[in-house]
Amino acid sequence: MTTVTAFDESERLIWAGQAGAYAGSFARLCAFPVEWLLDAAEVRLGTHVLDVGTGTGTAAAAACGRGAKVTAVDAEPSMVEMAALNISTADVQVAALPSLPFRDDEFDAVVANFVLNHVGQPLPALAELRRVARPGGRIALTIWSVPAAAGQALLGRAIQAVGVTRPAHLPPLSLENDFPHTKQGFAALLDKAGFAEVSCQTLNWDHRTTPAEWWSGAVAGVGFTGHVVASQPPELIAEIKRHFDLLSTEFTGPDGSLWLPHTALLAFGKV
């Protein structure tokens, strides 16, 4: 049985109204794997593709650029509003895993860029993605790997340096629904969900940003880490910022920009 879990509800809380702040901070980072994601799903001219968790619409826009027929959904209304403004040729609507408002076998391909990290029941979520894809269709997904790469861990290290722990109102993913965020663990999850010809690869890159841009997402409360930062009293936020500035020097180039190493996993398979 698929239900909306406490973890799902906390994710809705974290991302509520955050489209603008996300677009100005972490969206460029999450855009990096998009072309590989679409290649893995074999998205091309005429492909009917569903982009789940579209965010501001980066993957959907890239699919439209390939001549695909695109439907895109996100659980957060502010994301849907921004994505719809960004992509006039896609059908963009509010919808969320684990239950999508589409017929069985409706799409040639399904993609989900950094979405499975944010659902309370990953296996039922994959079953739902499989349901809406036609037999022989393709699925491709990205997640962040664990342990996190050095650049991805920067903000978390600054938080830990001041002794801030996970807030009680943000429950972790339950143990029975968690899975290893490794190549083997991610591929095994797709196998368990019934996909065929499953493969998984590691993506490594240095994301170039600025200290101001990176901090802006955190202090605005974007994502789990940002929500933790923004929910602290002002004096603690200032202390987290001080540690952020100190730790950022490890990744600062001669021009003052940050080069942040990140690692993600791209898994794909066939229905």
Side-chain angles (χ1 to χ4, degrees), residues 133-154:
R134 66 167 175 78
R138 303 280 296 182
I139 185 172
L141 311 97
T142 53
I143 62 170
W144 297 111
S145 62
V146 176
Q152 187 183 344
L154 172 59

Side-chain angles (χ1 to χ4, degrees), residues 33-123:
V34 160
E35 295 299 335
W36 284 326
L37 185 81
L38 297 179
D39 286 346
E42 298 181 356
V43 175
R44 53 176 69 96
L45 179 66
T47 303
H48 191 191
V49 59
L50 173 64
D51 177 24
V52 179
T54 191
T56 54
T58 304
C64 287
R66 295 183 177 208
K69 177 184 177 183
V70 180
T71 300
V73 300
D74 201 280
E76 169 48 36
S78 69
M79 295 289 188
V80 170
E81 182 179 359
M82 184 172 288
L85 289 172
N86 291 339
I87 326 159
S88 60
T89 55
D91 173 19
V92 188
Q93 55 188 283
V94 176
L97 293 167
S99 181
L100 299 174
F102 304 113
R103 301 186 307 272
D104 293 356
D105 310 335
E106 187 165 345
F107 299 96
D108 302 318
V110 178
V111 298
N113 192 36
F114 298 118
V115 173
L116 214 62
N117 302 86
H118 302 290
V119 301
Q121 295 179 296
L123 191 60

Side-chain angles (χ1 to χ4, degrees), residues 228-249:
V228 172
V229 171
S231 62
Q232 304 307 312
E235 61 274 16
L236 265 184
I237 293 176
E239 190 64 8
I240 294 170
K241 176 61 161 58
R242 187 176 71 82
H243 283 279
F244 169 78
D245 291 340
L246 290 171
L247 293 167
S248 293
T249 61

Side-chain angles (χ1 to χ4, degrees), residues 192-207:
K192 191 173 182 180
F195 291 98
E197 300 176 21
V198 171
S199 184
C200 185
Q201 63 189 70
T202 302
L203 307 177
N204 296 294
W205 74 101
D206 288 342
H207 176 63

